[in-house]
Amino acid sequence: MHSTVEKDKKTSYPKTMIDKITITRPDDWHLHLRDGDMLKGIMPETTRHFGRAIIMPNLIPPVITSNEARMYRDRILAARPVGSTFNPLMTLYLTDKTDPNDVSSAFADGLINAVKYYPAGATTNSESGVTNINNVMPVLEKMAEIGLTLCIHGEVTDPEIDIFDREAVFIDKVLNPLRLNLPELKTTSEHITTKDGVDYVKSQSKNHAASITTHHMMINRNHLLVGGIKPHYYCLPVVKREEHRLAIRDAATSGDSRFFLGTDSAPHLDPNKETGCGCAGCFTATNTMPLLAHVFDEDNKLKNLEKFTSFNGPKHYDLEPNQDTITLVKSDTASSFPEKIQTNDGPVTVFDPGHKVYWKVRDS
Ligand code: NCD
Ligand code: ZN
């Protein structure tokens, strides 16, 4: 029998006496909403707590042109629960053939907030991504000129490079040369998973920031692999060794304005995760805010939670923070989250950190 992650792990928690915190409504600076029945089924999981989210364009086929982004945005708005004011911030999927003028007019129209760079083949639905950064320099130069952010999936795809080293090698081989070549381009290293990623952000004086996911702060590669493989802990970039988890957790909880939340909540149907060749992606939209309160509380950094979830992201993307608030409360009884979200496409398993959490978002 496969062992599961310890359910009642002893932690030093609860540490502080704080049992309630009100913060500016958070945003999610990296989110997969998908399309069709999946979109409809999982949308409320994000709109319940988040004001805005940067929407990933890796649909099948991907969202490449401004026209496709406009249509996708309409489908997202139509899928919002009644009364929701959630604002999807759209991105275009960068390809070798992207037209710089289409990108700049989409930005001028207020339709997009970023362009997404996937190295071809790096992750789920990235087959149409960039094959060589030199092919997209005209687009990147235009973006630098107009102040549009490039969101980067920072992993090399060279089959010779070990999967656990792909982020560090990308920094040396692609990201740093790009930043030296085009320092005016605003860049986001998305979902950083290593100390190398943290150190690189800290070494940059302007125009560069990083998003961090909830799950990468909570699990390392032992959680994924020891005692049986856990398909719902498999995502890309893959979780790393403990020292990297601690480095990104320190960065996230530090309050440093260059780090902010991007959940990378990435729903896949259970049969596509629990199989011989499972898809990458952790679905964390449902319980991200309680899990983050747990993490920041455990590290005695609750005072920095709002910076990470609600202030640092808007600052990087030249937006104002949301106007309203949410309240998180800690109680003596453990919070319960749904194990799965049932969509009309099928079930999606919600990320389970493997231990109890006492925080929850108070219903407004
Ligand atoms: C994402 C997905 O499923 O679309 N998967 C993941 O593991 N994060 C793609 C991505 O952002 O890499
Ligand atoms: Zn993603």
Side-chain angles (χ1 to χ4, degrees):
M1 203 184 97
H2 288 195
S3 70
T4 54
V5 176
E6 225 181 321
K7 278 278 172 199
D8 271 310
K9 195 173 83 177
K10 288 260 183 309
T11 69
S12 51
Y13 186 88
K15 214 173 205 171
T16 65
M17 296 305 287
I18 300 171
D19 58 7
K20 186 171 139 200
I21 174 169
T22 296
I23 59 170
T24 298
R25 185 175 294 282
D27 300 305
D28 184 347
W29 299 97
H30 181 127
L31 176 67
H32 298 270
L33 281 180
R34 314 300 191 204
D35 215 343
D37 281 339
M38 176 67 101
L39 166 66
K40 292 192 186 84
I42 54 119
M43 185 88 185
E45 304 309 301
T46 285
T47 60
R48 199 173 292 130
H49 302 151
F50 293 94
R52 297 167 290 195
I54 289 251
I55 309 301
M56 286 299 116
N58 64 331
L59 304 183
I60 310 171
V63 179
I64 295 172
T65 64
S66 55
N67 225 3
E68 287 158 356
R70 191 170 284 110
M71 289 189 294
Y72 185 32
R73 183 167 192 274
D74 287 346
R75 297 198 295 280
I76 294 170
L77 293 176
R80 287 187 305 188
V82 177
S84 166
T85 57
F86 174 78
N87 183 9
L89 307 175
M90 307 308 290
T91 59
L92 296 181
Y93 184 116
L94 186 60
T95 74
D96 289 351
K97 298 200 180 89
T98 294
D99 172 6
N101 294 324
D102 186 46
V103 170
S104 61
S105 67
F107 185 50
D109 291 349
L111 176 67
I112 59 165
N113 291 76
V115 169
K116 177 66 190 248
Y117 168 56
Y118 289 106
T123 185
T124 316
N125 307 338
S126 64
E127 293 72 19
S128 328
V130 175
T131 56
N132 185 324
I133 193 125
N134 295 326
N135 296 341
V136 292
M137 284 318 287
V139 183
L140 301 186
E141 281 157 14
K142 177 63 109 182
M143 289 172 62
E145 186 188 312
I146 62 179
L148 179 57
T149 305
L150 183 69
C151 290
I152 300 173
H153 183 111
E155 288 190 290
V156 291
T157 53
D158 182 345
E160 303 286 299
I161 307 291
D162 189 278
I163 189 166
F164 290 98
D165 299 334
R166 288 179 175 199
E167 182 168 302
V169 174
F170 184 89
I171 294 169
D172 284 349
K173 293 269 162 62
V174 185
L175 181 58
N176 193 46
L178 170 66
R179 294 212 18 94
L180 291 172
N181 193 5
L182 207 51
E184 297 313 318
L185 178 66
K186 213 196 306 180
T187 43
T188 309
S189 278
E190 301 212 278
H191 42 53
I192 56 167
T193 60
T194 57
K195 183 171 182 305
D196 312 70
V198 170
D199 290 345
Y200 187 73
V201 171
K202 288 186 179 166
S203 75
Q204 301 296 295
S205 58
K206 61 167 194 170
N207 283 347
H208 188 60
S211 65
I212 295 176
T213 79
T214 310
H215 51 285
H216 285 106
M217 271 187 259
M218 301 191 85
I219 56 172
N220 64 28
R221 64 195 198 181
N222 277 11
H223 295 101
L224 170 68
L225 295 169
V226 173
I229 192 158
K230 317 293 183 314
H232 297 291
Y233 285 172
Y234 174 59
C235 65
L236 288 170
V238 70
V239 287
K240 308 292 191 304
R241 60 168 65 240
E242 179 67 355
E243 69 181 270
H244 293 298
R245 183 185 75 89
L246 294 176
I248 60 163
R249 185 158 159 151
D250 273 357
T253 58
S254 69
D256 185 324
S257 69
R258 293 168 292 184
F259 300 98
F260 45 79
L261 174 65
T263 65
D264 196 12
S265 180
H268 290 277
L269 297 177
D270 281 353
N272 296 334
K273 298 269 312 162
E274 300 164 5
T275 178
C277 182
C279 294
C282 296
F283 181 68
T284 55
T286 308
N287 51 1
T288 271
M289 290 311 298
L291 297 183
L292 288 175
H294 173 99
V295 165
F296 279 67
D297 188 12
E298 208 171 43
D299 291 1
N300 254 318
K301 293 286 174 54
L302 270 176
K303 64 175 192 318
N304 290 335
L305 178 63
E306 186 177 43
K307 293 185 187 130
F308 181 67
T309 62
S310 318
F311 291 159
N312 297 347
K315 181 167 174 262
H316 182 63
Y317 285 95
D318 291 324
L319 297 168
E320 292 300 317
N322 292 314
Q323 298 285 315
D324 55 342
T325 59
I326 65 166
T327 298
L328 290 131
V329 288
K330 181 164 75 173
S331 66
D332 294 336
T333 41
S335 307
S336 63
F337 306 112
E339 193 191 329
K340 294 172 194 296
I341 302 301
Q342 300 295 343
T343 76
N344 284 344
D345 260 353
V348 175
T349 291
V350 175
F351 178 75
D352 174 1
H355 57 76
K356 288 182 177 171
V357 169
Y358 295 86
W359 285 91
K360 62 178 183 218
V361 179
R362 195 174 70 186
D363 294 333
S364 48

